[in-house]
C-alpha cells in the first residue's frame, strides 16, 4: 500500500476502527461486515431478503 489507509468498502471504517480488515482484489471488508454478510448468506432462500433487518442502515454503495 502506498501510505494509504485501508478502509472497509462496505461500511467505510478504517483499518484502525475495526478488529480485522480482509483485503480483496478491489475491495476490503471488515470483520463486522463479514458477520453481516455471513448472516445474509445463511438466510433462507425462501426469505424475500428485503426485510429492513437484513441490511444495516450504514451499508450503502458509495457513489461512483
Ligand atoms: Zn465493514
Amino acid at each position: 500500500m502506498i501510505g494509504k489507509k485501508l478502509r472497509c468498502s462496505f461500511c467505510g471504517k478504517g483499518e484502525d476502527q475495526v478488529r480485522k480488515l480482509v483485503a480483496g482484489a478491489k475491495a476490503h471488508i471488515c470483520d463486522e461486515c463479514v458477520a453481516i454478510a455471513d448472516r445474509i448468506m445463511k438466510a433462507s432462500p425462501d426469505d424475500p431478503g428485503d426485510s429492513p433487518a437484513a441490511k444495516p442502515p450504514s451499508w450503502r454503495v458509495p457513489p461512483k
Side-chain angles (χ1 to χ4, degrees), residues 8-13 18 29-33:
C8 174
S9 305
F10 294 85
C11 68
K13 284 181 186 168
V18 298
I29 189 166
C30 73
D31 59 303
E32 288 173 38
C33 289

Side-chain angles (χ1 to χ4, degrees), residues 1-49:
M1 305 312 141
I2 317 140
K4 207 177 173 187
K5 201 167 87 170
L6 296 180
R7 251 170 209 293
C8 174
S9 305
F10 294 85
C11 68
K13 284 181 186 168
E15 58 183 329
D16 50 357
Q17 293 177 279
V18 298
R19 277 173 297 176
K20 278 187 183 177
L21 193 68
V22 180
K26 288 184 177 175
H28 308 294
I29 189 166
C30 73
D31 59 303
E32 288 173 38
C33 289
V34 165
I36 292 162
D38 189 51
R39 264 208 312 275
I40 293 169
M41 294 297 186
K42 284 175 180 168
S44 162
D46 301 326
D47 206 23

